[in-house]
Amino acid sequence: MSLQADVEALWERKQDGLSATDATDDHLDVLAEFLTALEAGEVRAAEKSGGEWEANAWVKQGILLNFGLRETVVREYGSVDYHDVLPLRETADLGERGTRNTPDGTTIRRGAYLGEDCIMMSPSFVNIGAYVGDGTLVDSCDTVGSCAQIGENVKLGANTLIGGVLEPVENAPVIVEDEVSLGAGCRVTSGFVVGEGSIVGENTLLTPRIPVYDLVEDEVLYGELPPERRAFQRFVDSSVGENDLIPGGAYKPAVVATDVEEETLEATEREDALRE
């Protein structure tokens, strides 16, 4: 059987009542093989097909099985004990690929993939099922959530949150495509897709619940930022502002997207020089 077939069969057994107490060594071997495949980039939680990102349901099932069929045990990292169902990821292969993570606070959970020439600054965290492409910077105080798919040569500014998603298994996770730059303090959640080559201003919240006013194509979008856009947070009038209890009116968040300006590209290129 293939790894996918093994995982799907184990998922069915879990739905029929298989628990961590009942799990055998053979079951745990399947889960370990699955985690190794994730860490090698051989399987991914979502992939692009026909121009659209689609979740690989069986991969998300495999991740959930690693929680549902494992016991929480005491583990050790350095001299600190912690309790979890999974250990942290071994990192010997990262150095072989030119990827570096600074000490005292870069945490990579099992089942996460980091490509070649990546940088992880302290403190930062990459969760299970996440995929971080070649040449990407995960800056200080960043979180890359479960199953998030980060492209190549992406810059995640300091204190950026990339949200995670495991359930429902059919839902696509957060996607940040190649060559994207996210400014410090950005938040990307709930399956939002940031298009290739876009540059997002600091402290911008990207979520399907907040409209994106694309001034390039004169349209309002939800859940996506088109490629090659410069985006930033703005506030627009809210109907709640008509309530007498709110003096001066009220506003709701929105995102404005325009063409990428040459000056913005030059500033991004100067930052890239620091990573060479």
Side-chain angles (χ1 to χ4, degrees), residues 77 89-92 94-95 98-108 114 118-122 124 138:
Y77 176 75
R89 187 193 193 283
E90 297 291 336
T91 58
L94 300 185
T99 287
R100 50 194 170 101
N101 59 309
T102 58
D104 294 333
T106 54
T107 304
I108 311 171
L114 273 75
C118 295
I119 300 173
M120 279 188 68
M121 300 299 294
S122 301
S124 56
V138 180

Side-chain angles (χ1 to χ4, degrees), residues 47-108:
E47 295 178 279
K48 203 169 189 178
S49 176
E52 299 292 331
W53 284 92
E54 298 178 356
N56 286 326
W58 75 272
V59 174
K60 296 176 75 175
Q61 289 172 352
I63 295 172
L64 290 169
L65 286 169
N66 270 280
F67 291 102
L69 296 182
R70 294 181 184 272
E71 301 278 6
T72 298
V73 299
V74 178
R75 303 181 185 278
E76 184 177 346
Y77 176 75
S79 59
V80 178
D81 290 339
Y82 68 100
H83 300 76
D84 201 355
V85 294
L86 287 173
L88 300 181
R89 187 193 193 283
E90 297 291 336
T91 58
D93 62 313
L94 300 185
E96 297 169 0
R97 297 203 301 274
T99 287
R100 50 194 170 101
N101 59 309
T102 58
D104 294 333
T106 54
T107 304
I108 311 171

Side-chain angles (χ1 to χ4, degrees), residues 23 28-29 42 45 77 82 98 119 145 183 203 214 223 237 242 244 273:
L28 296 179
D29 286 345
E42 296 170 358
Y77 176 75
Y82 68 100
I119 300 173
N203 295 318
D214 183 15
D237 287 327
E242 300 172 2
D244 294 337

Side-chain angles (χ1 to χ4, degrees), residues 128-142:
I128 185 173
Y131 183 101
V132 179
D134 297 347
T136 286
L137 169 65
V138 180
D139 211 338
S140 298
C141 301
D142 288 351

